[in-house]
Amino acid sequence: NTLQIAMGREPTASLDGMDELAQLDAIMHQMSSELASTRHRERSLIDNAAQIICSLSDVYAILDVNPAIEKMLGYKPESVQGTMVQALFHPQDREEAYEHLQRSKASEAEVNFVVRMRTQGGTYRYTEWTARWSAEDKNVFCIVQDISERKEAEKLRQEVIAMVSHDLRAPLTSLNISLGMVVEGVLGQLTERGVKILTRAQNSVIALIGMINDLLDLERIESGAFQLAYQPTESKKLLQEAVDMVAAQAEQRGIRIESSGDNLIASMDSDRVQRVLVNLIGNAIKFSPPGGKIFISSFKCTVGDNKGIEFRITDQGPGIPKDKLDLVFEKFQQVGTGSEGEKKGSGLGLAIAKAIVEAHNGAIGADSREGHGTTFWFRLPDEVRTRESVRSAN
Ligand code: ADP
């Protein structure tokens, strides 16, 4: 029985009796059945995986492959064993994929790449490969995932974005210019009523352009296709500039903005942080009762293990229910009761603010008690220096 097990076969019938040999034989049987069930479990894990799992020889011939290849590409596993794997790649992708495989052999590190693979029906699927060379086995072990749907969705998204920016934004921009000219009387004098109606139309067009710009910006930020332009920034100056930008809006509603806190210098993308501040103060104005007060401040804080800067914007508005506090940072979310402030928005501002703060490795959040106003805060990590310490360093 020991020899049978060593050769990978089932042991024959058990020995009768209670002596030492019989006991040893019983242990052998138990060991054999444990091995068989472990082997079965491992094999079924591989057989039932949704990804292709395969091993390649050192010249990239397919040695072993699980049944997932049939579901993904239509080939029976036996029919591709021994085939050079490059033969299954799109001719345009072959060279690059070969270089990636070579790279995996050179480093023993995990290598990832995307390659189009031919199906039995002659079409192609986008697949993502993770390959690792085992020097001990002299094989490349690979896991292959079908990402065609992801690629398709990405392509569609790109097309929608291109459509939105070319086919919607451009005509709206020229409509805005034309409406502006008519309202200003460049093309002849309008009646007072005419000016009123066209001004309202122009404001709607401007709001639409703003929304499209927000959508495109959010897409750019989320896809990582933008770089932060870090520069040392004075917090007081930044707050004052943001307040100046919304001053007219605040004045119109008789709202006072009070600022306090330390003047700190921190490294950040000041234009983009400015945008976050303008959005948060703008929201505070929109949701404040007429004649209300808004408090804004900046001070030192800690972000994770780092020193940082925190900005706070507090209003005396209706507040946000506790269970909706996280929701407001999601796209197109408006959580209130359809107040006037809400109607003017698109639900994109806070999503953009969050994306900008997180691109800085910072954090953003809100505290609120319904009926008692809201405080929005965000923290950016940095070696914060006070104005005095900068002066003495200079
Ligand atoms: P918008 O203001 O354009 O609708 P935002 O993303 O800036 O979009 O805000 C999302 C929602 O969060 C708002 O519609 C509102 O329901 C809620 N909200 C934001 N700021 C405040 C605030 N200061 N007070 C009360 N609710 C707020």
Side-chain angles (χ1 to χ4, degrees):
N1 274 348
T2 322
L3 284 176
Q4 291 281 89
I5 294 170
M7 286 190 288
R9 295 191 198 134
E10 289 280 305
T12 50
S14 308
L15 281 184
D16 291 334
M18 295 290 290
D19 60 6
E20 283 170 357
L21 273 183
Q23 280 176 22
L24 198 62
D25 184 63
I27 293 171
M28 285 291 169
H29 270 85
Q30 196 187 346
M31 208 163 78
S32 161
S33 92
E34 290 282 340
L35 278 174
S37 82
T38 307
R39 261 202 308 269
H40 177 75
R41 274 205 305 272
E42 283 174 356
R43 191 67 227 181
S44 64
L45 204 66
I46 293 173
D47 284 352
N48 292 304
Q51 292 96 344
I52 296 178
I53 300 172
C54 65
S55 56
L56 309 178
S57 73
D58 58 347
V59 290
Y60 315 131
I62 298 174
L63 298 175
D64 207 357
V65 59
N66 68 340
I69 193 165
E70 188 171 357
K71 259 202 204 132
M72 208 183 284
L73 303 170
Y75 305 110
K76 292 239 172 280
E78 321 72 82
S79 72
V80 290
Q81 261 161 11
T83 308
M84 301 302 283
V85 75
Q86 294 97 307
L88 301 179
F89 294 165
H90 192 292
Q92 285 170 2
D93 298 350
R94 265 178 213 160
E95 206 176 309
E96 202 184 317
Y98 179 77
E99 277 166 22
H100 285 299
L101 288 169
Q102 287 288 81
R103 199 157 53 83
S104 84
K105 244 161 59 173
S107 71
E108 274 202 34
E110 206 174 82
V111 168
N112 296 293
F113 56 94
V114 172
V115 60
R116 282 168 292 176
M117 292 187 79
R118 190 163 47 81
T119 65
Q120 195 165 40
T123 58
Y124 285 91
R125 309 282 305 167
Y126 275 97
T127 60
E128 187 172 60
W129 282 62
T130 305
R132 184 191 280 275
W133 167 251
S134 159
E136 194 184 336
D137 299 292
K138 300 226 172 323
N139 284 346
V140 189
F141 290 98
C142 308
I143 296 180
V144 185
Q145 179 144 13
D146 190 337
I147 56 161
S148 304
E149 273 160 31
R150 201 167 84 200
K151 279 266 172 196
E152 205 46 51
E154 216 170 276
K155 208 171 121 217
L156 197 71
R157 213 181 64 175
Q158 302 283 355
E159 282 168 8
V160 170
I161 287 163
M163 190 275 282
V164 167
S165 47
H166 296 129
D167 302 349
L168 266 176
R169 188 165 57 169
L172 281 173
T173 308
S174 68
L175 185 61
N176 180 28
I177 294 170
S178 309
L179 282 172
M181 283 164 70
V182 178
V183 169
E184 279 163 27
V186 178
L187 307 173
Q189 212 51 47
L190 279 181
T191 59
E192 205 176 308
R193 194 168 126 76
V195 170
K196 217 171 174 181
I197 292 173
L198 284 191
T199 305
R200 217 179 297 144
Q202 192 185 12
N203 285 342
S204 300
V205 171
I206 291 171
L208 255 179
I209 295 172
M211 191 171 169
I212 291 173
N213 285 340
D214 279 356
L215 252 180
L216 294 176
D217 275 358
L218 192 60
E219 150 65 27
R220 210 171 306 133
I221 298 170
E222 282 185 343
S223 67
F226 86 118
Q227 290 266 317
L228 290 178
Y230 277 93
Q231 61 192 79
T233 308
E234 253 183 69
S235 63
K236 272 242 155 91
K237 193 160 160 254
L238 196 69
L239 278 176
Q240 190 52 52
E241 282 168 0
V243 170
D244 290 345
M245 286 167 90
V246 295
Q249 201 185 334
E251 205 173 311
Q252 217 175 33
R253 308 208 41 233
I255 289 164
R256 281 234 323 269
I257 302 177
E258 289 182 8
S259 83
S260 63
D262 311 320
N263 189 22
L264 306 165
I265 296 184
S267 181
M268 66 185 81
D269 184 330
S270 49
D271 286 348
R272 292 205 162 92
V273 175
Q274 178 78 270
R275 186 159 177 197
V276 177
L277 284 169
V278 168
N279 179 267
L280 296 181
I281 304 173
N283 275 352
I285 295 173
K286 269 197 312 190
F287 291 98
S288 283
K293 265 192 201 162
I294 293 170
F295 304 93
I296 58 174
S297 57
S298 62
F299 48 89
K300 279 187 220 178
C301 69
T302 38
V303 184
D305 294 335
N306 297 312
K307 286 191 167 55
I309 181 165
E310 177 166 330
F311 293 93
R312 294 179 84 83
I313 293 97
T314 302
D315 63 50
Q316 299 173 318
I320 300 171
K322 240 191 176 51
D323 57 329
K324 304 273 171 56
L325 279 176
D326 288 336
L327 212 63
V328 293
F329 294 99
E330 311 237 326
K331 278 179 245 180
F332 304 113
Q333 287 291 346
Q334 300 188 309
V335 301
T337 50
S339 64
E340 204 44 44
E342 210 156 69
K343 281 184 211 138
K344 284 189 189 149
S346 63
L348 282 171
L350 288 175
I352 294 178
K354 183 169 192 252
I356 292 175
V357 169
E358 288 181 352
H360 281 82
N361 288 324
I364 188 166
D367 306 314
S368 180
R369 263 199 321 142
E370 250 179 291
H372 291 87
T374 311
T375 297
F376 276 89
W377 54 263
F378 64 97
R379 304 185 186 117
L380 307 174
D382 185 64
E383 276 298 309
V384 170
R385 293 171 294 169
T386 58
R387 213 180 150 97
E388 279 58 44
S389 68
V390 175
R391 224 177 263 143
S392 57
N394 289 342

